[in-house]
Amino acid sequence: MENTNLLLQRHSIRDFTDKEIDIELLKQIIAEAQRAPSYENSQPWKAYIATGETLKNIRKVHAEKVAARQRSYTEVVPPREWKEYPKNNVANYMKETEELIGADGIQDLLAQNAVLFNAPAIVYLTLPKDSSLYSAYDVGAFGYGILLSACHHGLGAVPAYELIRYPDEIRENFDISEEESILMGIAIGYPTPDKPLSTLVMSRNSLDNVLQINK
Ligand SMILES: Cc1cc2nc3c(=O)[nH]c(=O)nc-3n(C[C@H](O)[C@H](O)[C@H](O)COP(=O)(O)O)c2cc1C
């Protein structure tokens, strides 16, 4: 029987068909994700969607920068050095990915990153500049809402650092205030069926390592 639990069904999709996404559906996904909880209902997120010609231009510029190995940066800095616990998880992620899709699959994955997964739409998420971690929690909840809503509507998605590591190519196409920082990008599209990069499902750490319950 098909799994109807969205949380278990969702995984990152990195291979999309050419099919465009209806603008009304994209708006519906954002509206649904806005049901995310946030501190004092502050809703610190904003969303910017690139699709059609805008995204084609961004993709072209991005691929050129990657090919030229142009130095990249993000407006919100990711961990430079992992603490031991997540570091072990990252090591497992690398190992597991190689086991599941092989060295060739990893080359495909990197190639797909360089062309922004050929997704028909990308949502960029911002939060107010120099926000506290509380606001990052809220925007993360909004982003996860987008992933789950996309899944609910038969779409696939991947949140990716790759999508936001050249912020200029995004800012050139939108009116994003200097008071906002680009936090994350989410590529969305219709999954290509039966391709390793749309069927890849990563494991999770054992509950014993994550959870303590006290009765
Ligand atoms: C903040 C963040 C950044 C990510 N960056 C990338 C990326 O640049 N490229 C990529 O292929 N996947 C990226 N991912 C996807 C993760 O690799 C993926 O979520 C993780 O391995 C768990 O797999 P799942 O989403 O399929 O469950 C990112 C995910 C998050 C949450």
Side-chain angles (χ1 to χ4, degrees), residues 105-170:
I106 289 180
Q107 287 311 312
D108 290 345
L109 188 148
L110 295 175
Q112 281 295 91
N113 269 263
V115 291
L116 309 177
F117 310 99
N118 279 319
I122 295 177
V123 187
Y124 301 103
L125 307 183
T126 70
L127 80 176
K129 206 172 192 169
D130 301 326
S131 286
S132 103
L133 282 175
Y134 261 70
S135 294
Y137 176 94
D138 299 339
V139 182
F142 176 61
Y144 192 41
I146 293 174
L147 301 181
L148 293 182
S149 171
C151 191
H152 171 74
H153 292 288
L155 290 157
V158 59
Y161 164 88
E162 180 72 35
L163 304 172
I164 52 153
R165 71 187 182 96
Y166 295 112
D168 289 354
E169 71 195 17
I170 304 164

Side-chain angles (χ1 to χ4, degrees), residues 131-206:
S131 286
S132 103
L133 282 175
Y134 261 70
S135 294
Y137 176 94
D138 299 339
V139 182
F142 176 61
Y144 192 41
I146 293 174
L147 301 181
L148 293 182
S149 171
C151 191
H152 171 74
H153 292 288
L155 290 157
V158 59
Y161 164 88
E162 180 72 35
L163 304 172
I164 52 153
R165 71 187 182 96
Y166 295 112
D168 289 354
E169 71 195 17
I170 304 164
R171 287 190 176 271
E172 275 160 16
N173 284 283
F174 294 97
D175 186 13
I176 303 177
S177 146
E178 287 303 322
E179 297 307 308
E180 289 167 59
S181 298
I182 300 169
L183 177 66
M184 192 39 55
I186 299 176
I188 307 187
Y190 291 93
T192 312
D194 306 326
K195 287 278 188 78
L197 296 184
S198 43
T199 55
L200 179 64
V201 175
M202 308 303 296
S203 67
R204 291 298 190 269
N205 217 329
S206 123

Side-chain angles (χ1 to χ4, degrees), residues 8 21 24 29 40 48 53 59 63 74 89 118-119 122 155 199 205 212:
L8 300 180
I21 308 169
E24 289 308 313
I29 288 168
E40 295 185 327
Y48 301 82
E53 285 305 309
R59 181 179 298 114
T74 52
N89 290 336
N118 279 319
I122 295 177
L155 290 157
T199 55
N205 217 329
Q212 287 187 23

Side-chain angles (χ1 to χ4, degrees), residues 56-115:
K56 269 190 201 140
N57 290 336
I58 292 177
R59 181 179 298 114
K60 183 169 170 286
V61 169
H62 187 90
E64 285 167 3
K65 287 178 174 163
V66 174
R69 294 176 187 271
Q70 192 168 312
R71 202 154 169 267
S72 65
Y73 71 99
T74 52
E75 294 184 354
V76 179
V77 181
R80 291 192 199 283
E81 238 177 78
W82 292 105
K83 302 284 183 197
E84 191 180 338
Y85 176 67
K87 191 175 176 176
N88 289 336
N89 290 336
V90 171
N92 285 338
Y93 160 67
M94 308 271 192
K95 190 165 161 269
E96 188 178 23
T97 307
E98 173 130 30
E99 279 164 9
L100 290 172
I101 60 175
D104 289 348
I106 289 180
Q107 287 311 312
D108 290 345
L109 188 148
L110 295 175
Q112 281 295 91
N113 269 263
V115 291

